[in-house]
Amino acid sequence: EVQLLESGGDMVQPGGSLRLSCAASGFTFSTYAMSWVRQAPGKGLEWVSAVRDNGGGTWYVNSVKGRFIISRDNSKSTLYLQMNSLRVEDTALYYCARDRRFPDDVFDLWGQGTMVTVSS
Amino acid sequence: DIQMTQSPSSLSASVGDRVTITCQASQDITNHLNWYQQKPGKAPKLLIYDASNLETGVPSRFSGSGSATYFTFTISSLQPEDIATYYCQQNIGLPTFGQGTKVEVK
């Protein structure tokens, strides 16, 4: 079955760190760019970060630059998001999404999301 | 950053009604516009890409049109299972989404 499965979400204090994972299955992971998209409680969708199929390029929304790092391990078909210096405003459900036509981003497969709560 | 403005933010319509949502871009994005459906508690689902192309498996009652800065998304005959929030997304630059339109059935 073609799917994405996120994990790693948790409650953390402001200033803390967290690492999210997204395990892909059912398709050739190494041929797709991947993104993280988040959704704060009761709010809309916000693209966070993207990585090329070979990991050779990464992009970030301004609000997370310098704090988040996206990476991937194609041998494990897994996408990661290292989140440092977390802020209350980073609280959200984090989805990983497959981009079938990078750089003209078309997100055609989404995971179920993993919840990150930043609170003291 | 390219800003996407959707309207209305919510709407209520009867089963069988024609429903139209608009999305305006802050600059010309040609046809680099996608539409997603997000049902409550679920992940988003791609419905329309390149402004007017229907994703495989998506019912034909869904359609999209427009170019440059003005786009529309239409449900030709609203069904109960169409209760969801709909988002536009531009992909000519770093991707950005509209704020969403919540569709309810009367």
Side-chain angles (χ1 to χ4, degrees):
Chain A
E1 183 184 0
V2 176
Q3 65 177 2
L4 299 169
L5 187 62
E6 302 96 333
S7 61
D10 204 346
M11 179 177 288
V12 62
Q13 292 187 338
S17 297
L18 212 52
R19 188 198 201 198
L20 306 183
S21 299
C22 170
S25 59
F27 65 97
T28 306
F29 179 73
S30 61
T31 63
Y32 289 89
M34 297 293 295
S35 276
W36 288 97
V37 178
R38 67 185 177 184
Q39 187 169 35
K43 302 297 184 181
L45 302 170
E46 180 184 37
W47 172 82
V48 174
S49 182
V51 60
R52 291 188 73 107
D53 52 2
N54 61 7
T58 58
W59 292 263
Y60 300 91
V61 68
N62 284 340
S63 60
V64 309
K65 276 182 185 176
R67 301 188 299 122
F68 289 11
I69 300 171
I70 190 171
S71 63
R72 63 191 297 160
D73 185 338
N74 285 344
S75 69
K76 296 181 178 179
S77 296
T78 302
L79 175 72
Y80 302 102
L81 187 67
Q82 177 66 43
M83 310 167 69
N84 301 322
S85 302
L86 281 161
R87 304 169 180 169
V88 171
E89 55 265 33
D90 295 319
T91 295
L93 185 63
Y94 284 74
Y95 294 102
C96 64
R98 185 177 76 176
D99 187 343
R100 74 167 181 220
R101 212 179 62 188
F102 182 85
D104 296 333
D105 310 284
V106 179
F107 303 121
D108 69 339
L109 179 67
W110 298 66
Q112 86 293 342
T114 188
M115 188 68 202
V116 173
T117 303
V118 185
S119 174
S120 55
Chain B
D1 294 357
I2 300 173
Q3 308 300 319
M4 307 301 294
T5 304
Q6 277 182 246
S7 62
S9 56
S10 66
L11 65 89
S12 181
S14 299
V15 171
D17 281 356
R18 184 180 184 88
V19 169
T20 298
I21 298 168
T22 65
C23 182
Q24 288 194 272
S26 59
Q27 64 187 72
D28 187 346
I29 59 170
T30 62
N31 70 333
H32 287 73
L33 194 283
N34 307 320
W35 290 95
Y36 298 84
Q37 174 193 65
Q38 186 178 34
K39 294 186 176 181
K42 300 295 185 182
K45 174 187 175 182
L46 177 67
L47 298 182
I48 303 281
Y49 64 95
D50 294 345
S52 61
N53 293 317
L54 195 66
E55 179 70 352
T56 302
V58 173
S60 59
R61 65 179 180 274
F62 296 101
S63 65
S65 65
S67 65
T69 62
Y70 188 81
F71 302 85
T72 60
F73 171 82
T74 299
I75 307 172
S76 61
S77 178
L78 187 67
Q79 300 302 304
E81 61 267 31
D82 300 336
I83 294 172
T85 300
Y86 294 85
Y87 294 92
C88 62
Q89 173 239 326
Q90 65 80 18
N91 61 358
I92 201 170
L94 293 180
T96 51
F97 292 87
Q99 77 275 20
T101 296
K102 186 175 183 179
V103 174
E104 298 174 321
V105 177
K106 284 182 184 175

